[in-house]
Amino acid sequence: MNPSRSEQLVEGVLQQIWQQGGHAYGEVSVGGARVVVLLDLVPEVSEGDRIFFQGKVALSRVSDEIR
Amino acid sequence: MKYVDEYRDPRLARELVRYIRRRSTRPWPVMEICGGQTHTLIRYGIDQLLEGAVTLIHGPGCPVCVTPLEKIDRALAIARRQEVIFTTFGDMMRVPGSETDLLSAKARGADVRMVYSPLDALELARKHPERQVVFFAVGFETTAPANAMAVWMAHQEGVKNFSVLVSHVLVPPAIQALMEDPETEIKGFIAPGHVCTVMGYQEYETLAQSYRIPFVVAGFEPLDLLQGLAMLVDLLEEGRVEVQNQYTRSVCREGNPHARAIVEEVFEVADMTWRGIGPIPKSGLCLRERYRTFDAEFRFEVATISREESSVCIAGEILQGKKKPVDCPAFGRECSPEHPLGAPMVSSEGACAAYYAFRRLQEAEA
């Protein structure tokens, strides 16, 4: 898992999604660690997706597409 | 490891290196913007593998490195206050201000805490209503959504004891400043994949047309960068001015509209001073008027603190791609990660740190 860094996005697999206090959260596994991230900015994601997050806020769904 | 090994396949890497070397008719000077990309290029020796075909110029895309000295001093002034819990990402802890750094301030009693997210800082503010919790909101467009989200949530919840010290910078104005330099040799850019994940790459299309230079948005693994460089060399050899996207697994042309919307809601574009480079018009973000109560600079009245850069460190020239870290007489001598003179030696994305970690023994032998 990435240490506490400013810029780098961290990649993980979304294990579980839930709603709390008007926000969407998800548990993400990153190299064996589990992190809870906010999912409000990626409403299209579902469990099992790979995502990028920064500062515990998910920013994109990572596709399998390889150019 | 799944989703990592695919992007580090040595056979594919060799093929791409052969392709670039065959395709290139001259050593094209191209800049990779992002410090994360610089680290991959140096760590895997990609710059050396492509010598004679591509000359890699390292850009100013390390957010820690370009955070101005006076912001660090303002952070220190806030962190020393009794009522403050000062929170920051770990990579800002050892960046030197004019006299000291946040880690040293912590050792001397300041309540400085490393967090993994501005949301962690907001949670601290909820738990400690008797204290003032400040988060050091540093970074490019990649970090702006999380910082904006924390401020927006604090606003929605009425959390009064949370604020942010903002030092946000934007990539496109920095590219514009680099291209306006009459001495620039840059012929193409590897655009930052993570910034473009948030912002998309429409702004780069405008820059490409304005300066008649091609861009390729690329990722951070060795094959991402080699493929991105192969695409860039194709564009350069064919004289095509356009923006192509290598990092399709994360980036689309429009970026993330939800992330852009929250950034737009909370921040507005402002003039910004870059450490080692100087002021660049409209190259930063500040809080909009309706969120100004969350601005730590105003809350703690530190906005007037200003500082001059040290003349010893050549970080400015390194950040503009004019010199390599090994060109600095202090590199690896007076300046090391343990005793840094400048931010690029501290940050995990700094060019000096990359050369120190992966290249200094080679340089010493040469």
Side-chain angles (χ1 to χ4, degrees):
Chain A
M1 152 122 206
N2 209 326
S4 174
R5 287 172 60 178
S6 297
E7 199 70 11
Q8 201 81 359
L9 296 185
V10 183
E11 187 175 335
V13 180
L14 194 52
Q15 302 292 338
Q16 197 186 344
I17 297 175
W18 67 91
Q19 301 285 327
Q20 189 182 318
H23 299 285
Y25 291 91
E27 187 180 75
V28 181
S29 65
V30 188
R34 297 284 170 129
V35 185
V36 174
V37 302
L38 187 71
L39 299 177
D40 288 1
L41 303 182
V42 285
E44 72 279 14
V45 295
S46 48
E47 289 172 10
D49 282 348
R50 285 188 301 133
I51 62 167
F52 270 141
F53 64 93
Q54 190 280 328
K56 297 188 184 176
V57 174
L59 290 175
S60 76
R61 177 180 168 274
V62 185
S63 77
D64 288 330
E65 184 182 350
I66 295 176
R67 193 182 160 101
Chain B
M1 188 190 292
K2 181 81 175 150
Y3 300 123
V4 173
D5 292 344
E6 292 95 324
Y7 305 111
R8 297 179 186 177
D9 182 332
R11 184 186 57 81
L12 286 174
R14 277 192 292 271
E15 278 179 29
L16 281 164
V17 169
R18 273 197 294 272
Y19 177 82
I20 294 167
R21 298 195 71 87
R22 202 170 53 236
R23 189 79 170 91
S24 176
T25 55
R26 62 175 125 157
W28 290 105
V30 301
M31 175 176 273
E32 85 282 359
I33 293 291
C34 182
Q37 293 169 331
T38 303
H39 266 251
T40 301
L41 293 167
I42 303 303
R43 177 176 191 166
Y44 291 92
I46 291 172
D47 58 330
Q48 293 172 323
L49 288 168
L50 297 179
E51 212 167 293
V54 172
T55 301
L56 287 157
I57 302 167
H58 313 311
C62 162
V64 174
C65 305
V66 299
T67 299
L69 191 63
E70 60 198 25
K71 285 279 180 185
I72 311 286
D73 283 357
R74 289 173 195 178
L76 286 158
I78 295 169
R80 288 189 187 112
R81 296 173 69 112
Q82 281 286 324
E83 75 275 27
V84 167
I85 299 173
F86 193 89
T87 61
T88 175
F89 286 122
D91 53 7
M92 286 305 297
M93 295 282 272
R94 292 193 59 247
V95 178
S98 56
E99 288 172 8
T100 186
D101 56 41
L102 286 165
L103 194 64
S104 304
K106 182 179 173 67
R108 284 195 285 270
D111 193 348
V112 179
R113 304 187 192 184
M114 189 188 82
V115 293
Y116 287 88
S117 165
L119 301 182
D120 292 346
L122 180 57
E123 183 58 22
L124 270 174
R126 292 188 194 108
K127 283 183 179 165
H128 297 280
E130 77 288 1
R131 305 283 301 276
Q132 286 288 330
V133 178
V134 182
F135 180 72
F136 203 172
V138 168
F140 284 89
E141 293 92 327
T142 319
T143 55
N147 292 333
M149 184 56 87
V151 171
W152 183 80
M153 288 170 83
H155 181 68
Q156 294 294 106
E157 295 172 28
V159 180
K160 305 280 187 214
N161 62 323
F162 176 73
S163 59
V164 288
L165 177 60
V166 180
S167 186
H168 266 299
V169 282
L170 303 170
V171 171
I175 292 176
Q176 198 172 351
L178 288 165
M179 292 310 297
E180 292 290 339
D181 183 342
E183 291 175 18
T184 188
E185 294 174 355
I186 303 164
K187 299 293 183 206
F189 282 94
I190 292 290
H194 288 163
V195 166
C196 293
T197 293
V198 174
M199 301 302 290
Y201 51 85
Q202 286 163 311
E203 289 174 289
Y204 299 85
E205 292 171 344
T206 309
L207 287 168
Q209 292 309 319
S210 298
Y211 296 103
R212 310 300 300 163
I213 43 167
F215 286 78
V216 174
V217 181
F220 296 79
E221 292 293 336
L223 288 186
D224 286 328
L225 285 161
L226 281 167
Q227 189 179 29
L229 287 165
M231 292 161 71
L232 192 55
V233 167
D234 278 341
L235 291 174
L236 288 163
E237 291 292 343
E238 292 163 20
R240 287 156 61 196
V241 173
E242 57 188 82
V243 180
Q244 292 189 347
N245 180 18
Q246 179 277 332
Y247 205 33
T248 50
R249 65 184 185 277
S250 181
V251 173
C252 64
R253 184 168 180 264
E254 294 75 25
N256 178 334
H258 306 285
R260 292 176 65 174
I262 192 74
V263 172
E264 180 69 21
E265 162 66 23
V266 173
F267 291 116
E268 62 186 352
V269 172
D271 294 344
M272 183 73 182
T273 298
W274 295 51
R275 188 170 195 171
I277 296 175
I280 302 178
K282 297 180 180 175
S283 66
L285 295 174
C286 69
L287 290 167
R288 285 189 184 278
E289 188 59 41
R290 59 181 170 276
Y291 295 100
R292 197 56 60 83
T293 53
F294 295 95
D295 191 332
E297 285 186 318
F298 287 95
R299 188 173 293 191
F300 299 101
E301 297 176 342
V302 293
T304 53
I305 294 175
S306 63
R307 293 285 186 273
E308 292 293 318
E309 294 283 346
S310 155
S311 58
V312 181
C313 179
I314 64 161
E317 288 167 287
I318 290 167
L319 290 167
Q320 293 173 78
K322 291 178 176 173
K323 287 191 174 169
K324 303 268 186 191
V326 290
D327 297 331
C328 177
F331 176 81
R333 295 180 180 89
E334 297 96 320
C335 185
S336 67
E338 290 75 30
H339 301 286
L341 291 180
M345 186 57 97
V346 184
S347 166
S348 52
E349 292 191 40
C352 298
Y355 273 72
Y356 190 88
F358 306 118
R359 201 55 64 76
R360 77 180 189 285
L361 294 177
Q362 241 174 52
E363 295 294 334
E365 283 166 12

